Amino acid sequence: MTEKLPPRRPRYRDAAREPGRVHWMELFFDLVFVAFVGQLAHSIHGNPGWAEYGTFVLLFFPAWWAWVNIVSVVNLLPGLSSRGLGVAMLAGMAAAGLMAAAAPEAFGARAWAFSLANAAMRVVLLVLWLYQHRQNSAGAPLRILLYNGGTAALWLLAAVLPLHGAVFLWAAAIAVEVAMVLLGARLWPERGISGINIEHASERLGLFVVIVLGESIFTIVSELSSDWGRGGGLAAGLGFLVVALLGWAFFQYGTGTVSAGLERLQSRADYSGILQTTIFMPFLLVVGVTAIAAAIATAIPAPGQVLPPGAGIALGGGLALFYGTNAMVSLRYGRPLRTVLPWAVPAVVAAALLIPASATVPAAVALALAVVILLALTGYVEIQRRRR
């Protein structure tokens, strides 16, 4: 008689996830960016000027860049063990959490902490990219050592320099990384195309948009709880409709377009197109959604008053950025102009007209106008889809 052997336990080196699926630890890692987006979004509440908007973008891009780098290397490491992935995600969370905590005073007393956090994030990325290189190449990892090792040194040096010197090194570090990515896409496109998993990439992008929209909902609820009343409730309800319709547009229409578009770009070995539509253009989309949420948060406490100029720009400009970016992505995916322009041009023009309109009508009315624009666009897209 033979004894029945117990089921084999997963070994340490067993893969943590299927290549096309997102692991739970990746979702856990994303939670820290909820805090980061919330920290930065507060800086453009009220009546932000160009300085506030510039600060928001300059601080948000390093966080976004760190996130897309983590996503990219994990995408190319489908065989990474559960423990290895977990340690990497937790280390990345610690670095991103310090970045978020330092962000409100990153151009002041906490510049050193912001620098150290970015240096730590590059070290995490360096280890992951070196591991990925060892799995797939026998050559010297010179590009990786410069890409993350060299820039980690710049961020570390920035931590001990005065603010003006630190900011210069921040810009230099980001510029080096962006330039190397763009240069690699042009000179060695096959290196980036062969290992990319489109399902994982599109799902990760969608999940980040969930984070930003979720932060928008959280902002609306927080503002309403602080300014409870009929006017605040009306403005919060209208703001919720704005965010809900943006989510409807992205998840009902956009996610399928992302997967199909990325597959089309991959089949043409268009690595530059993949970079543009997964790294650079989505950053503009996320900035637009965050700006819209900031305008809604400004409207809730004073729904009967005219929006401040900065909030009006956030509302109309954010909507224009959202739809303008979606139009650029659609065109980059190969969609014909005749199918994109009929919704893109009216959307961007109507959103831009909200900026002067919001200076003449109460904040609640401005939000209602935004809802009307979004309902009209949603109705148009639904009609077009039913005709196909």
Side-chain angles (χ1 to χ4, degrees):
M1 180 181 294
T2 59
E3 295 184 0
K4 185 176 181 181
L5 296 177
R8 185 178 65 89
R9 291 185 178 182
R11 295 180 303 171
Y12 174 79
R13 295 184 180 276
D14 286 349
R17 62 180 179 85
E18 297 178 14
R21 301 301 303 273
V22 175
H23 191 269
W24 289 108
M25 287 302 298
E26 294 179 82
L27 301 179
F28 187 46
F29 167 77
D30 285 353
L31 291 178
V32 73
F33 286 92
V34 175
F36 202 107
V37 172
Q39 287 277 68
L40 293 181
H42 282 292
S43 66
I44 54 174
H45 287 191
N47 186 24
W50 294 114
E52 287 77 15
Y53 280 123
T55 299
F56 168 74
V57 172
L58 289 175
L59 293 179
F60 192 19
F61 189 78
W64 168 262
W65 189 250
W67 182 84
V68 295
N69 271 271
I70 286 283
V71 170
S72 298
V73 68
V74 171
N75 182 285
L76 296 173
L77 283 172
L80 190 63
S81 71
S82 180
R83 291 182 179 86
L85 179 62
V87 170
M89 294 298 98
L90 292 177
M93 284 184 74
L98 182 57
M99 289 170 63
E105 294 292 332
F107 286 111
R110 302 179 195 172
W112 64 272
F114 191 75
S115 300
L116 283 179
N118 275 278
M121 182 67 78
R122 268 66 188 178
V123 171
V124 174
L125 288 167
L126 176 63
V127 173
L128 288 172
W129 279 117
L130 287 175
Y131 179 78
Q132 192 273 339
H133 178 83
R134 190 180 70 176
Q135 299 294 313
N136 297 278
S137 177
L142 296 178
R143 291 175 61 236
I144 296 173
L145 292 174
L146 175 60
Y147 181 71
N148 286 133
T151 54
L154 291 177
W155 283 102
L156 187 61
L157 179 60
V160 299
L161 291 181
L163 180 60
H164 63 278
V167 172
F168 176 79
L169 287 186
W170 296 354
I174 292 293
V176 167
E177 292 180 349
V178 172
M180 289 187 67
V181 168
L182 295 177
L183 185 63
R186 181 174 294 274
L187 297 180
W188 306 286
E190 69 285 349
R191 294 184 183 180
I193 286 293
S194 59
I196 291 177
N197 186 285
I198 297 302
E199 294 179 1
H200 180 267
S202 58
E203 187 174 351
R204 293 296 281 121
L205 180 59
L207 290 170
F208 194 88
V209 175
V210 168
I211 288 174
V212 178
L213 292 173
E215 171 58 28
S216 302
I217 296 297
F218 177 77
T219 298
I220 293 171
V221 172
S222 297
E223 291 293 335
L224 178 59
S225 66
S226 300
D227 295 279
W228 189 263
R230 292 182 180 178
L234 174 62
L238 291 169
F240 173 79
L241 285 175
V242 169
V243 176
L245 289 168
L246 291 175
W248 181 274
F250 187 83
F251 296 114
Q252 292 291 334
Y253 316 133
T255 50
T257 301
V258 169
S259 298
L262 289 176
E263 289 175 359
R264 191 177 301 114
L265 292 173
Q266 188 178 47
S267 67
R268 299 201 302 256
D270 190 350
Y271 188 38
S272 294
I274 292 177
L275 288 177
Q276 292 166 13
T277 55
T278 58
I279 295 179
F280 300 108
M281 291 180 185
F283 175 71
L284 300 177
L285 185 147
V286 168
V287 167
V289 173
T290 307
I292 294 167
I296 296 171
T298 304
I300 292 173
Q305 300 178 17
V306 173
L307 281 175
I313 292 173
L315 180 61
L319 284 172
L321 200 55
F322 179 87
Y323 279 101
T325 300
N326 276 294
M328 290 189 294
V329 170
S330 297
L331 293 173
R332 194 64 182 85
Y333 283 159
R335 290 290 184 92
L337 279 171
R338 66 177 183 276
T339 64
V340 176
L341 293 184
W343 61 263
V345 172
V348 173
V349 171
L353 290 176
L354 263 181
I355 298 175
S358 64
T360 60
V361 299
V365 176
L367 292 179
L369 291 174
V371 171
V372 170
I373 293 171
L374 292 171
L375 284 174
L377 290 168
T378 302
Y380 171 81
V381 175
E382 286 290 337
I383 291 173
Q384 294 301 114
R385 287 168 66 90
R386 288 171 181 253
R387 287 178 176 176
R388 293 174 187 173

